[in-house]
mmCIF file of all heavy atoms in Angstrom:
data_model
loop_
_atom_site.group_PDB
_atom_site.id
_atom_site.type_symbol
_atom_site.label_atom_id
_atom_site.label_comp_id
_atom_site.label_asym_id
_atom_site.label_seq_id
_atom_site.Cartn_x
_atom_site.Cartn_y
_atom_site.Cartn_z
ATOM 1 N N ASP A 395 4.039 5.207 -7.634
ATOM 2 C CA ASP A 395 2.746 5.828 -7.287
ATOM 3 C C ASP A 395 2.714 7.196 -7.908
ATOM 4 O O ASP A 395 3.626 7.952 -7.843
ATOM 5 C CB ASP A 395 2.627 5.934 -5.777
ATOM 6 C CG ASP A 395 1.270 6.420 -5.297
ATOM 7 O OD1 ASP A 395 1.086 7.676 -5.256
ATOM 8 O OD2 ASP A 395 0.381 5.563 -5.074
ATOM 9 N N ARG A 396 1.586 7.511 -8.612
ATOM 10 C CA ARG A 396 1.452 8.804 -9.304
ATOM 11 C C ARG A 396 0.671 9.775 -8.412
ATOM 12 O O ARG A 396 -0.304 10.406 -8.852
ATOM 13 C CB ARG A 396 0.733 8.625 -10.657
ATOM 14 C CG ARG A 396 1.491 7.775 -11.627
ATOM 15 C CD ARG A 396 2.486 8.569 -12.446
ATOM 16 N NE ARG A 396 1.819 9.513 -13.341
ATOM 17 C CZ ARG A 396 2.231 9.788 -14.583
ATOM 18 N NH1 ARG A 396 3.246 9.178 -15.047
ATOM 19 N NH2 ARG A 396 1.533 10.661 -15.290
ATOM 20 N N PHE A 397 1.079 9.904 -7.148
ATOM 21 C CA PHE A 397 0.436 10.789 -6.214
ATOM 22 C C PHE A 397 -1.074 10.491 -6.056
ATOM 23 O O PHE A 397 -1.892 11.339 -6.061
ATOM 24 C CB PHE A 397 0.647 12.256 -6.592
ATOM 25 C CG PHE A 397 2.084 12.659 -6.567
ATOM 26 C CD1 PHE A 397 2.893 12.468 -7.720
ATOM 27 C CD2 PHE A 397 2.672 13.147 -5.402
ATOM 28 C CE1 PHE A 397 4.229 12.801 -7.696
ATOM 29 C CE2 PHE A 397 4.034 13.502 -5.398
ATOM 30 C CZ PHE A 397 4.813 13.351 -6.527
ATOM 31 N N SER A 398 -1.335 9.180 -5.869
ATOM 32 C CA SER A 398 -2.697 8.673 -5.697
ATOM 33 C C SER A 398 -3.262 9.107 -4.392
ATOM 34 O O SER A 398 -2.523 9.401 -3.433
ATOM 35 C CB SER A 398 -2.722 7.155 -5.834
ATOM 36 O OG SER A 398 -2.041 6.575 -4.749
ATOM 37 N N GLY A 399 -4.590 9.128 -4.303
ATOM 38 C CA GLY A 399 -5.239 9.535 -3.087
ATOM 39 C C GLY A 399 -5.109 8.536 -1.925
ATOM 40 O O GLY A 399 -4.969 8.935 -0.810
ATOM 41 N N ASN A 400 -5.124 7.215 -2.256
ATOM 42 C CA ASN A 400 -5.064 6.226 -1.205
ATOM 43 C C ASN A 400 -3.731 5.445 -1.146
ATOM 44 O O ASN A 400 -3.646 4.511 -0.347
ATOM 45 C CB ASN A 400 -6.240 5.252 -1.357
ATOM 46 C CG ASN A 400 -7.555 5.905 -1.042
ATOM 47 O OD1 ASN A 400 -7.649 6.699 -0.077
ATOM 48 N ND2 ASN A 400 -8.564 5.672 -1.824
ATOM 49 N N GLY A 401 -2.790 5.798 -1.960
ATOM 50 C CA GLY A 401 -1.469 5.173 -1.860
ATOM 51 C C GLY A 401 -1.352 3.826 -2.499
ATOM 52 O O GLY A 401 -2.309 3.250 -2.954
ATOM 53 N N THR A 402 -0.136 3.334 -2.518
ATOM 54 C CA THR A 402 0.208 2.088 -3.111
ATOM 55 C C THR A 402 1.152 1.316 -2.165
ATOM 56 O O THR A 402 2.111 1.897 -1.605
ATOM 57 C CB THR A 402 0.960 2.258 -4.479
ATOM 58 O OG1 THR A 402 0.098 3.033 -5.323
ATOM 59 C CG2 THR A 402 1.239 0.951 -5.140
ATOM 60 N N ILE A 403 0.929 0.015 -1.974
ATOM 61 C CA ILE A 403 1.770 -0.805 -1.107
ATOM 62 C C ILE A 403 2.278 -1.994 -1.928
ATOM 63 O O ILE A 403 1.470 -2.651 -2.639
ATOM 64 C CB ILE A 403 0.982 -1.343 0.140
ATOM 65 C CG1 ILE A 403 0.550 -0.118 0.971
ATOM 66 C CG2 ILE A 403 1.825 -2.300 0.932
ATOM 67 C CD1 ILE A 403 -0.372 -0.508 2.129
ATOM 68 N N VAL A 404 3.556 -2.310 -1.804
ATOM 69 C CA VAL A 404 4.129 -3.477 -2.470
ATOM 70 C C VAL A 404 4.463 -4.485 -1.393
ATOM 71 O O VAL A 404 5.192 -4.182 -0.442
ATOM 72 C CB VAL A 404 5.428 -3.092 -3.252
ATOM 73 C CG1 VAL A 404 6.113 -4.332 -3.818
ATOM 74 C CG2 VAL A 404 5.146 -2.101 -4.379
ATOM 75 N N ARG A 405 3.912 -5.693 -1.530
ATOM 76 C CA ARG A 405 4.184 -6.798 -0.559
ATOM 77 C C ARG A 405 5.026 -7.839 -1.263
ATOM 78 O O ARG A 405 4.582 -8.423 -2.227
ATOM 79 C CB ARG A 405 2.881 -7.407 -0.035
ATOM 80 C CG ARG A 405 2.037 -6.425 0.749
ATOM 81 C CD ARG A 405 0.898 -7.088 1.458
ATOM 82 N NE ARG A 405 0.049 -6.088 2.117
ATOM 83 C CZ ARG A 405 0.270 -5.586 3.292
ATOM 84 N NH1 ARG A 405 1.381 -5.956 3.987
ATOM 85 N NH2 ARG A 405 -0.500 -4.675 3.825
ATOM 86 N N HIS A 406 6.230 -8.056 -0.738
ATOM 87 C CA HIS A 406 7.202 -8.963 -1.336
ATOM 88 C C HIS A 406 6.924 -10.365 -0.851
ATOM 89 O O HIS A 406 6.197 -10.612 0.186
ATOM 90 C CB HIS A 406 8.654 -8.597 -1.012
ATOM 91 C CG HIS A 406 8.989 -7.258 -1.574
ATOM 92 N ND1 HIS A 406 9.318 -7.081 -2.924
ATOM 93 C CD2 HIS A 406 9.052 -5.996 -1.035
ATOM 94 C CE1 HIS A 406 9.586 -5.800 -3.123
ATOM 95 N NE2 HIS A 406 9.434 -5.134 -2.018
ATOM 96 N N LEU A 407 7.482 -11.374 -1.530
ATOM 97 C CA LEU A 407 7.291 -12.802 -1.129
ATOM 98 C C LEU A 407 7.808 -13.107 0.241
ATOM 99 O O LEU A 407 7.296 -13.997 0.918
ATOM 100 C CB LEU A 407 7.973 -13.675 -2.155
ATOM 101 C CG LEU A 407 7.276 -13.860 -3.476
ATOM 102 C CD1 LEU A 407 8.148 -14.631 -4.496
ATOM 103 C CD2 LEU A 407 5.919 -14.483 -3.329
ATOM 104 N N ASP A 408 8.864 -12.392 0.707
ATOM 105 C CA ASP A 408 9.402 -12.652 2.059
ATOM 106 C C ASP A 408 8.570 -12.057 3.183
ATOM 107 O O ASP A 408 8.932 -12.166 4.300
ATOM 108 C CB ASP A 408 10.855 -12.152 2.118
ATOM 109 C CG ASP A 408 11.002 -10.626 1.945
ATOM 110 O OD1 ASP A 408 9.945 -9.954 1.849
ATOM 111 O OD2 ASP A 408 12.136 -10.165 1.972
ATOM 112 N N GLY A 409 7.460 -11.434 2.814
ATOM 113 C CA GLY A 409 6.558 -10.873 3.836
ATOM 114 C C GLY A 409 6.767 -9.396 4.123
ATOM 115 O O GLY A 409 5.947 -8.791 4.820
ATOM 116 N N THR A 410 7.816 -8.782 3.589
ATOM 117 C CA THR A 410 8.023 -7.354 3.830
ATOM 118 C C THR A 410 7.042 -6.569 3.004
ATOM 119 O O THR A 410 6.662 -6.957 1.907
ATOM 120 C CB THR A 410 9.448 -6.941 3.479
ATOM 121 O OG1 THR A 410 9.717 -7.196 2.099
ATOM 122 C CG2 THR A 410 10.461 -7.642 4.377
ATOM 123 N N ALA A 411 6.609 -5.440 3.533
ATOM 124 C CA ALA A 411 5.697 -4.564 2.835
ATOM 125 C C ALA A 411 6.294 -3.182 2.803
ATOM 126 O O ALA A 411 6.887 -2.713 3.785
ATOM 127 C CB ALA A 411 4.322 -4.523 3.513
ATOM 128 N N VAL A 412 6.171 -2.537 1.655
ATOM 129 C CA VAL A 412 6.687 -1.147 1.477
ATOM 130 C C VAL A 412 5.601 -0.241 0.994
ATOM 131 O O VAL A 412 4.899 -0.548 -0.014
ATOM 132 C CB VAL A 412 7.859 -1.133 0.460
ATOM 133 C CG1 VAL A 412 8.365 0.268 0.211
ATOM 134 C CG2 VAL A 412 8.959 -2.083 0.845
ATOM 135 N N ARG A 413 5.343 0.849 1.731
ATOM 136 C CA ARG A 413 4.386 1.871 1.241
ATOM 137 C C ARG A 413 5.160 2.762 0.250
ATOM 138 O O ARG A 413 6.200 3.309 0.652
ATOM 139 C CB ARG A 413 3.863 2.698 2.362
ATOM 140 C CG ARG A 413 2.915 3.832 1.895
ATOM 141 C CD ARG A 413 2.189 4.499 3.013
ATOM 142 N NE ARG A 413 1.226 3.651 3.705
ATOM 143 C CZ ARG A 413 0.006 3.378 3.277
ATOM 144 N NH1 ARG A 413 -0.384 3.846 2.100
ATOM 145 N NH2 ARG A 413 -0.813 2.609 3.955
ATOM 146 N N CYS A 414 4.675 2.887 -0.936
ATOM 147 C CA CYS A 414 5.391 3.566 -2.028
ATOM 148 C C CYS A 414 5.304 5.105 -1.812
ATOM 149 O O CYS A 414 4.220 5.653 -1.613
ATOM 150 C CB CYS A 414 4.815 3.239 -3.393
ATOM 151 S SG CYS A 414 5.017 1.537 -3.838
ATOM 152 N N GLU A 415 6.456 5.713 -1.832
ATOM 153 C CA GLU A 415 6.531 7.185 -1.793
ATOM 154 C C GLU A 415 6.152 7.683 -3.171
ATOM 155 O O GLU A 415 6.752 7.239 -4.156
ATOM 156 C CB GLU A 415 7.954 7.575 -1.413
ATOM 157 C CG GLU A 415 8.176 9.059 -1.257
ATOM 158 C CD GLU A 415 9.620 9.297 -0.903
ATOM 159 O OE1 GLU A 415 10.196 8.593 -0.037
ATOM 160 O OE2 GLU A 415 10.170 10.248 -1.495
ATOM 161 N N PRO A 416 5.242 8.635 -3.314
ATOM 162 C CA PRO A 416 4.830 9.116 -4.630
ATOM 163 C C PRO A 416 6.000 9.591 -5.482
ATOM 164 O O PRO A 416 6.924 10.282 -5.009
ATOM 165 C CB PRO A 416 3.896 10.275 -4.309
ATOM 166 C CG PRO A 416 3.348 9.967 -2.945
ATOM 167 C CD PRO A 416 4.493 9.290 -2.236
ATOM 168 N N GLY A 417 6.001 9.186 -6.751
ATOM 169 C CA GLY A 417 7.029 9.617 -7.698
ATOM 170 C C GLY A 417 8.274 8.757 -7.676
ATOM 171 O O GLY A 417 9.139 8.905 -8.540
ATOM 172 N N ARG A 418 8.470 7.874 -6.708
ATOM 173 C CA ARG A 418 9.631 7.025 -6.627
ATOM 174 C C ARG A 418 9.355 5.610 -7.173
ATOM 175 O O ARG A 418 8.322 5.055 -6.893
ATOM 176 C CB ARG A 418 10.081 6.933 -5.145
ATOM 177 C CG ARG A 418 11.339 6.255 -4.912
ATOM 178 C CD ARG A 418 11.797 6.346 -3.497
ATOM 179 N NE ARG A 418 12.963 5.463 -3.302
ATOM 180 C CZ ARG A 418 13.392 5.033 -2.093
ATOM 181 N NH1 ARG A 418 12.755 5.470 -1.038
ATOM 182 N NH2 ARG A 418 14.423 4.273 -2.031
ATOM 183 N N ARG A 419 10.335 5.025 -7.866
ATOM 184 C CA ARG A 419 10.133 3.723 -8.465
ATOM 185 C C ARG A 419 10.573 2.641 -7.469
ATOM 186 O O ARG A 419 11.565 2.728 -6.802
ATOM 187 C CB ARG A 419 11.022 3.571 -9.728
ATOM 188 C CG ARG A 419 10.524 4.498 -10.827
ATOM 189 C CD ARG A 419 11.455 4.345 -12.004
ATOM 190 N NE ARG A 419 10.971 5.179 -13.094
ATOM 191 C CZ ARG A 419 11.553 5.280 -14.311
ATOM 192 N NH1 ARG A 419 12.597 4.596 -14.545
ATOM 193 N NH2 ARG A 419 11.010 6.075 -15.181
ATOM 194 N N TYR A 420 9.740 1.565 -7.412
ATOM 195 C CA TYR A 420 9.987 0.412 -6.559
ATOM 196 C C TYR A 420 9.953 -0.827 -7.392
ATOM 197 O O TYR A 420 9.024 -1.083 -8.164
ATOM 198 C CB TYR A 420 8.914 0.323 -5.459
ATOM 199 C CG TYR A 420 8.949 1.447 -4.498
ATOM 200 C CD1 TYR A 420 8.319 2.651 -4.743
ATOM 201 C CD2 TYR A 420 9.680 1.335 -3.299
ATOM 202 C CE1 TYR A 420 8.389 3.728 -3.832
ATOM 203 C CE2 TYR A 420 9.734 2.396 -2.389
ATOM 204 C CZ TYR A 420 9.083 3.562 -2.678
ATOM 205 O OH TYR A 420 9.164 4.618 -1.779
ATOM 206 N N LEU A 421 11.002 -1.677 -7.260
ATOM 207 C CA LEU A 421 11.055 -2.946 -7.990
ATOM 208 C C LEU A 421 10.069 -3.927 -7.383
ATOM 209 O O LEU A 421 9.878 -3.965 -6.184
ATOM 210 C CB LEU A 421 12.447 -3.517 -7.917
ATOM 211 C CG LEU A 421 13.549 -2.779 -8.688
ATOM 212 C CD1 LEU A 421 14.902 -3.422 -8.474
ATOM 213 C CD2 LEU A 421 13.216 -2.714 -10.173
ATOM 214 N N VAL A 422 9.355 -4.614 -8.311
ATOM 215 C CA VAL A 422 8.344 -5.576 -7.894
ATOM 216 C C VAL A 422 8.702 -6.930 -8.519
ATOM 217 O O VAL A 422 8.283 -7.211 -9.681
ATOM 218 C CB VAL A 422 6.938 -5.151 -8.347
ATOM 219 C CG1 VAL A 422 5.892 -6.092 -7.828
ATOM 220 C CG2 VAL A 422 6.641 -3.711 -7.888
ATOM 221 N N PRO A 423 9.440 -7.769 -7.832
ATOM 222 C CA PRO A 423 9.801 -9.062 -8.344
ATOM 223 C C PRO A 423 8.561 -9.924 -8.597
ATOM 224 O O PRO A 423 7.505 -9.748 -7.993
ATOM 225 C CB PRO A 423 10.670 -9.709 -7.272
ATOM 226 C CG PRO A 423 11.073 -8.555 -6.377
ATOM 227 C CD PRO A 423 10.023 -7.528 -6.486
ATOM 228 N N ARG A 424 8.719 -10.895 -9.551
ATOM 229 C CA ARG A 424 7.596 -11.774 -9.813
ATOM 230 C C ARG A 424 7.118 -12.473 -8.547
ATOM 231 O O ARG A 424 7.941 -12.860 -7.729
ATOM 232 C CB ARG A 424 7.983 -12.765 -10.896
ATOM 233 C CG ARG A 424 8.263 -12.110 -12.229
ATOM 234 C CD ARG A 424 8.666 -13.066 -13.306
ATOM 235 N NE ARG A 424 9.179 -12.404 -14.449
ATOM 236 C CZ ARG A 424 8.460 -12.022 -15.501
ATOM 237 N NH1 ARG A 424 7.137 -12.215 -15.492
ATOM 238 N NH2 ARG A 424 9.028 -11.449 -16.537
ATOM 239 N N GLY A 425 5.826 -12.608 -8.401
ATOM 240 C CA GLY A 425 5.210 -13.178 -7.179
ATOM 241 C C GLY A 425 4.829 -12.154 -6.135
ATOM 242 O O GLY A 425 4.166 -12.466 -5.188
ATOM 243 N N SER A 426 5.282 -10.896 -6.288
ATOM 244 C CA SER A 426 4.985 -9.855 -5.345
ATOM 245 C C SER A 426 3.515 -9.382 -5.562
ATOM 246 O O SER A 426 2.932 -9.541 -6.647
ATOM 247 C CB SER A 426 5.890 -8.684 -5.489
ATOM 248 O OG SER A 426 7.217 -9.067 -5.202
ATOM 249 N N HIS A 427 2.962 -8.826 -4.540
ATOM 250 C CA HIS A 427 1.559 -8.393 -4.517
ATOM 251 C C HIS A 427 1.546 -6.832 -4.419
ATOM 252 O O HIS A 427 2.235 -6.290 -3.553
ATOM 253 C CB HIS A 427 0.939 -8.975 -3.241
ATOM 254 C CG HIS A 427 -0.516 -8.831 -3.168
ATOM 255 N ND1 HIS A 427 -1.421 -9.714 -3.694
ATOM 256 C CD2 HIS A 427 -1.265 -7.881 -2.511
ATOM 257 C CE1 HIS A 427 -2.610 -9.314 -3.413
ATOM 258 N NE2 HIS A 427 -2.554 -8.210 -2.688
ATOM 259 N N VAL A 428 0.825 -6.148 -5.283
ATOM 260 C CA VAL A 428 0.738 -4.683 -5.288
ATOM 261 C C VAL A 428 -0.695 -4.256 -4.959
ATOM 262 O O VAL A 428 -1.615 -4.689 -5.614
ATOM 263 C CB VAL A 428 1.168 -4.123 -6.657
ATOM 264 C CG1 VAL A 428 1.054 -2.532 -6.624
ATOM 265 C CG2 VAL A 428 2.589 -4.507 -7.022
#
């Protein structure tokens, strides 16, 4: 996330969701929803 106004969420295939901390990299395996 590049310090966006409304944030970024990564939803993995196993159902877990992660709200991205600005400036930090998060792996997004194939099939995941951003």
Side-chain angles (χ1 to χ4, degrees):
D395 187 273
R396 296 275 290 219
F397 297 88
S398 65
N400 290 320
T402 304
I403 297 173
V404 176
R405 295 191 185 278
H406 297 282
L407 286 174
D408 64 2
T410 60
V412 178
R413 178 170 292 280
C414 297
E415 183 180 316
R418 185 173 172 199
R419 294 178 179 181
Y420 293 85
L421 291 176
V422 184
R424 294 181 192 270
S426 297
H427 189 87
V428 179

